[in-house]
Amino acid sequence: MIERLAVLGATGDLAARFLLPALAALRAGGHLGERLSLTGASREDWSTERYREWAAEQLDRHAGDCSAEARARVAASARYLRADVTDPADVAAVVAGDGPVAVYLALPPALFPAAVSALHRAGLPAGSRIVLEKPFGEDLASARELNRLIAELVPEQAVFRVDHFLAMTTVQNVLGSRLANRVLEPIWNSTHIAEIDIVWDETLALEGRAGYYDHVGALKDMIQNHLLQLLCLVAMEPPITLGERDLRNRKVDVLRSVRPLTENDVLHRTRRARYLPGRIGDRAVPAYADEEGVDPRRRTETFAEVELELEGWRWAGTRFRLRSGKALGADRKEVAVRFRPVPHLPFGQGGGARPNVLRFALEPEGLALDLTGVGSRAQELAPLSLTARMDPAELPAYGRLLLDVLTGDPALSIRGDEAEEAWRVLEPVLAAWERDLVPLEEYPAGSEGPAPRYP
């Protein structure tokens, strides 16, 4: 296990809300060695003591379920260096020390190339690893160039392009439910499944993230990485093992099988919109264009929907709908597998059968199956719902990812070719939206999103 972790961007939201609490969870669970040290680097002119005080405050706020001892030990293990993450000399001071180091780039994606170049010029100890957050690049060309830069720094096995969705318990359950239950795998195909909706709708609006969000929008922030990763797990062929080679090969196969979108497809199978003023519960929400830090001229979308088809025997004829929106009236975060109707109902006028739907709820985590049965009156159909209780995860998603980084297991990280294939899938959408071929619709904050195209 690597015993040194360096975080570039160590005073940001990612470190405060996720990385520090993940380290506390690992410490509380006995997963970290006694010698693990944390070096934080950022632009703030802080001392190590000031950083430890800040880290302790963030841990109290975001890791209250961990013991006070674990939180205190994480804060005490940290040292801080003021650094320009694009300056090789500053970066060299951050990574200096005995033995390999795991370098976490908790930075805006636009800084990745410069930070990787600085790391290359600074030099990394043998056996070191590098961790990058999504989105990986800003388009296909930049993803390829970033892959080239990283390949000059460390081998692919030492690159962790992380997506915390892959470490969520319910996301793991997509594979578990499919592959460990004979009742599901034989019907996991287009003969029985009509549609699969992969949805991340949230009531949260911009919440002060204009500096990041206004440069990416819903398509790049959610669909290009998180939701395409979920698509891979839902649609992949059963891997021989869940080792990094077998699992990641099958995920790449899914992305390669996505039927390329023509310009006409983009016009009819994608949507984009942004929110207007409205109310969410008792909270008034301004229009996205009026949020602090937003440049309306960018025409950034806060709602994106893309419909995809896969080429191959298993999924020909099944539609996959990927959707994400902000400032909506209700949270809906799920993978919904919609089965085809039965060919005949012998119940006369006793009511119709609603579609069977298997729902993997992502946040909060859960599992439910919508069925149809006979109600209180003979031969009258009524809905039934079966739900499963989910045990809480041993580790938070970022805890699992950090443990994989420190122990060197890349199975849940995204391989270089996979990152490029994900951009290939959405390149036609990005190009058409850039040319305004798809209108930027609007919806009131607190609503269900843009009105249906067809009544």
Side-chain angles (χ1 to χ4, degrees):
M1 174 183 282
I2 283 183
E3 295 183 325
R4 293 198 298 135
L5 175 65
V7 178
L8 307 186
T11 60
D13 186 65
L14 174 63
R17 294 176 56 210
F18 298 110
L19 299 185
L20 288 171
L23 286 171
L26 291 173
R27 176 64 68 193
H31 298 287
L32 297 181
E34 293 301 316
R35 298 175 56 192
L36 182 82
S37 64
L38 168 65
T39 299
S42 196
R43 294 174 297 176
E44 280 73 19
D45 189 12
W46 289 358
S47 65
T48 289
E49 188 59 34
R50 173 70 184 92
Y51 184 73
R52 288 176 177 175
E53 292 173 356
W54 177 85
E57 292 169 2
Q58 304 309 314
L59 286 163
D60 289 345
R61 181 178 305 167
H62 301 295
D65 54 342
C66 293
S67 68
E69 178 188 3
R71 300 197 304 270
R73 292 182 66 184
V74 168
S77 72
R79 71 174 182 128
Y80 179 80
L81 294 174
R82 182 185 182 188
D84 176 353
V85 299
T86 67
D87 184 295
D90 284 3
V91 171
V94 174
V95 301
D98 296 330
V101 59
V103 184
Y104 202 119
L105 273 58
L107 303 168
L111 287 178
F112 285 174
V116 170
S117 295
L119 283 167
H120 185 266
R121 293 171 64 187
L124 282 176
S128 294
R129 297 164 194 152
I130 184 170
V131 191
L132 302 96
E133 279 282 329
K134 62 85 183 174
F136 185 81
E138 299 176 272
D139 52 26
L140 179 56
S142 62
R144 285 173 173 163
E145 175 61 16
L146 188 52
N147 274 337
R148 185 190 67 78
L149 289 172
I150 292 174
E152 295 176 352
L153 178 64
V154 291
E156 178 64 33
Q157 286 289 105
V159 182
F160 289 76
R161 302 170 188 83
V162 297
D163 186 335
H164 73 278
F165 269 47
L166 293 176
M168 294 168 65
T169 303
T170 304
V171 172
Q172 297 287 308
N173 254 318
V174 172
L175 281 182
S177 298
R178 277 190 57 190
L179 304 180
N181 295 285
R182 182 173 287 275
V183 69
L184 285 180
E185 183 56 31
I187 61 172
W188 206 261
N189 53 59
S190 62
T191 302
H192 302 283
I193 296 174
E195 298 177 340
I196 297 180
D197 289 333
I198 302 174
V199 180
W200 190 270
D201 285 351
E202 54 187 350
T203 55
L204 285 176
L206 194 55
E207 313 300 328
R209 296 178 68 222
Y212 165 74
Y213 194 87
D214 201 41
H215 290 84
V216 292
L219 186 71
K220 292 183 180 180
D221 184 50
M222 291 299 304
I223 292 180
Q224 190 276 334
N225 41 79
H226 294 324
L227 302 195
L228 280 180
Q229 286 297 308
L230 292 173
L231 170 68
C232 289
L233 297 186
V234 169
M236 68 193 297
E237 293 297 319
I240 298 172
T241 73
L242 294 183
E244 60 91 11
R245 180 177 180 181
D246 292 332
L247 181 62
R248 298 200 290 184
N249 281 350
R250 298 293 77 78
K251 287 166 62 186
V252 171
D253 287 345
V254 172
L255 294 173
R256 292 181 60 203
S257 74
V258 175
R259 186 171 66 81
L261 292 167
T262 65
E263 190 172 282
N264 189 60
D265 290 332
V266 176
L267 294 177
H268 293 93
R269 296 189 176 187
T270 74
R271 300 186 75 182
R272 60 176 182 151
R274 65 181 177 185
Y275 60 83
L276 296 171
R279 297 193 69 84
I280 303 175
D282 59 359
R283 176 169 56 106
V285 177
Y288 176 80
D290 296 330
E291 294 268 24
E292 184 177 352
V294 167
D295 182 355
R297 294 171 298 181
R298 288 198 183 98
R299 294 173 59 79
T300 301
E301 79 285 350
T302 60
F303 174 98
E305 183 176 277
V306 177
E307 189 177 283
L308 301 173
E309 294 182 353
L310 305 187
E311 296 179 328
W313 283 74
R314 183 182 289 266
W315 294 117
T318 297
R319 291 191 173 184
F320 295 82
R321 190 176 298 107
L322 283 57
R323 161 182 163 144
S324 181
K326 280 189 170 296
L328 297 171
D331 288 324
R332 181 189 169 207
K333 302 170 182 179
E334 66 174 8
V335 175
V337 181
R338 303 181 184 278
F339 293 87
R340 299 188 187 278
V342 296
H344 173 68
L345 281 174
F347 291 90
Q349 301 301 313
R354 66 176 182 171
N356 299 148
V357 183
L358 179 60
R359 301 181 185 276
F360 298 91
L362 303 174
E363 191 179 86
E365 297 180 341
L367 184 65
L369 177 60
D370 297 337
L371 298 171
T372 297
V374 174
S376 58
R377 301 176 64 178
Q379 297 190 11
E380 183 176 278
L381 297 177
L384 300 174
S385 185
L386 307 180
T387 59
R389 181 181 63 85
M390 306 292 291
D391 292 329
E394 177 192 8
L395 290 173
Y398 271 95
R400 170 70 187 275
L401 290 180
L402 275 182
L403 185 60
D404 286 348
V405 170
L406 296 173
T407 57
D409 181 0
L412 294 185
S413 73
I414 297 164
R415 206 167 60 195
D417 56 343
E418 184 181 348
E420 294 180 17
E421 287 294 338
W423 281 114
R424 181 198 61 79
V425 169
L426 293 182
E427 278 259 294
V429 183
L430 291 169
W433 287 12
E434 180 69 24
R435 294 161 56 200
D436 276 335
L437 298 182
V438 176
L440 181 64
E441 303 175 55
E442 296 177 322
Y443 61 96
S447 69
E448 296 182 357
R453 277 182 178 165
Y454 309 109

